[in-house]
Amino acid sequence: RTSAILSKMVYKRFVEIGRVAFVSFGEDQGKLCAVVDIVDQNRALIDGPNIRRQAIGFKFLHLTGFVIQIGHGAGTTAVKKAWEKEGIEEKWQQSRWYKKLQMKATRRQLSDFDRFKLMKVKQRRSWLIKMEMGRLKKAQKK
């Protein structure tokens, strides 16, 4: 019965102890952390290898699909051990989310001339696709 309910649920990522999250705002923006404890309805206690232990609002956290096995209120050393055991950094760097963030950062660093070259490459790619589609349609009519 419960598995049928869970399969119909829209959300798959819940705020839970051990859930790895991405900090989207504040001084630790762009860093990963793990939820160690839930303070109240709006805040969680977070900790991680690159972030200090602190309470932060849920609005500033984006939950990832990763979960580490830690106990309720686990200390910093326990969090770091579980983090390394699960290989969270490696998993994160293999994720599409991380790659997308890296691509955005790279694009942000482009100069005006680099943006112009990128535009020209996109135009060329679009033209090649259009020409190939035309050839395929012509071949299909015969």
Side-chain angles (χ1 to χ4, degrees), residues 15-55:
V15 177
E16 59 184 316
I17 294 171
R19 175 67 65 179
V20 177
F22 179 79
V23 180
S24 64
F25 186 80
E27 66 182 51
D28 295 316
Q29 181 177 0
K31 295 181 181 176
L32 287 181
C33 63
V35 175
V36 176
D37 194 5
I38 296 167
V39 177
D40 59 24
Q41 194 170 345
N42 299 313
R43 294 179 301 152
L45 182 66
I46 60 166
D47 199 356
N50 303 323
I51 195 167
R52 65 181 173 80
R53 191 178 186 95
Q54 62 184 310

Side-chain angles (χ1 to χ4, degrees), residues 51-78:
I51 195 167
R52 65 181 173 80
R53 191 178 186 95
Q54 62 184 310
I56 191 167
F58 292 139
K59 291 181 179 181
F60 302 148
L61 295 177
H62 293 298
L63 303 177
T64 67
F66 310 125
V67 180
I68 58 175
Q69 298 300 315
I70 56 173
H72 178 77
T76 304
T77 54

